[in-house]
Each structure stands twice: as structure tokens, then as C-alpha cells.
Amino acid sequence: MSLSVLKRSAATLAGAAFLVLGGVLVLVTVLLVMDVGKEEDHYFGGRADAVVSDVIPTTGGAPGMGGKVVRVSYEAEGERHSARLRGGFTGRAPRVGDSAEVVYRVENPGRPYSKDYAEQGPPGIGTEIVGALCIAVMSAVALGASWFLLSFGAGRRKTLLGL
């Protein structure tokens, strides 16, 4: 068997592998795009006035929280709740005794979010879009490599590097 036939066979095999990889990545891209923004439902059916009951300094911290865990006390759905406030706390640094409006899902009133959090778009959508774009680019590269290798394997190109 000549070296040319081995090169073409290897190119055809590699091209087929890239074709399968590109197809799978296209499918993953479509599934990701269909799922963008669905994992975080921003519908909050309940609102309550809360009081900051504790501010615990932390070494890390979410953006907008200034490295603090804020606990609030409030009444929702006929029960008294005390829980960590999720979402940002705008304005000055929160202090014990400050009032804040919180929102919650009716099915889970013990998990409060700040009103500002509820008014902004779902987090992570930008990251999900960038991830889908990166996978789309990878699928385009894989499909392009597949086309190039399969055309070399079929004998339409004289050399692997020749255009």
C-alpha cells in the first residue's frame, strides 16, 4: 500500500471523526440556546417588609453585598421567617435594624430575595450565551476540518497543506 493511500485513508477517518464531533457540537449548541435563561425563574409572587436582623462579615461575598451575609426577619404567608437575604443590597452598607423590601416565591416563602434582585434580569444569561457561542465556533471549526480532510481523502486535494 502506498504512502499516499495511507494518508488519504487516515484523512478520511479523521474527517469522519470531525464530522461526528461537529454534528454533536451543533446539537449541544441548539440545546444550550433553547435553555438560555430557563434555569432561573424570576417570578416572585410575594412581597414583604423585612428588618435586617444580622450582618455577618465574610471573607468572600457576592457582588453588591460588600463581603457581608445579611439576615432578615419578615412575615410571609402568615408565618414569621428569619433567613439570609439573596441578591444585592443597594445603597449604603446594611446595618441591624434597617428595613428592606423582600420578595419571595409563594411556594417557598422562607427564601427571601432583595427587591433589586427581582427587578434585574436573570443572572447568568450572558455566560450561557457566551458558552453557546464558543461551542458553536468549535462546531464550525470541527465541520471545516471535516470538510478539508474528507476532500483530501477523496483525492480532490493534492497535498494535505495545499489549498
Side-chain angles (χ1 to χ4, degrees):
M1 208 186 260
S2 82
L3 189 59
S4 178
V5 172
L6 283 173
K7 283 182 184 178
R8 290 187 196 285
S9 298
T12 302
L13 187 61
F18 274 111
L19 184 63
V20 170
L21 176 65
V24 168
L25 289 175
V26 166
L27 180 63
V28 168
T29 301
V30 168
L31 292 174
L32 281 176
V33 168
M34 289 172 45
D35 197 44
V36 168
K38 286 187 178 178
E39 76 181 42
E40 183 65 37
D41 180 15
H42 259 56
Y43 175 72
F44 298 100
R47 294 187 180 273
D49 292 323
V51 175
V52 175
S53 59
D54 200 5
V55 179
I56 306 162
T58 62
T59 56
M65 295 299 279
K68 295 178 178 16
V69 172
V70 178
R71 291 189 63 83
V72 293
S73 297
Y74 59 100
E75 188 170 323
E77 307 301 317
E79 294 182 33
R80 191 86 185 136
H81 298 277
S82 179
R84 180 177 68 92
L85 180 66
R86 287 155 181 82
F89 198 94
T90 60
R92 60 181 173 77
R95 292 184 291 193
V96 174
D98 286 351
S99 60
E101 187 173 356
V102 298
V103 294
Y104 56 89
R105 292 184 177 92
V106 176
E107 66 273 5
N108 191 2
R111 187 175 172 120
Y113 294 84
S114 68
K115 181 182 172 193
D116 294 332
Y117 176 82
E119 291 172 353
Q120 64 185 337
I125 286 183
T127 306
E128 290 174 359
I129 290 172
V130 168
L133 284 175
C134 288
I135 293 174
V137 168
M138 288 188 294
S139 68
V141 168
L143 291 173
S146 168
W147 172 79
F148 179 79
L149 290 168
L150 288 173
S151 65
F152 176 76
R156 286 179 284 208
R157 295 185 184 276
K158 297 293 183 205
T159 67
L160 197 54
L161 297 177
L163 300 172

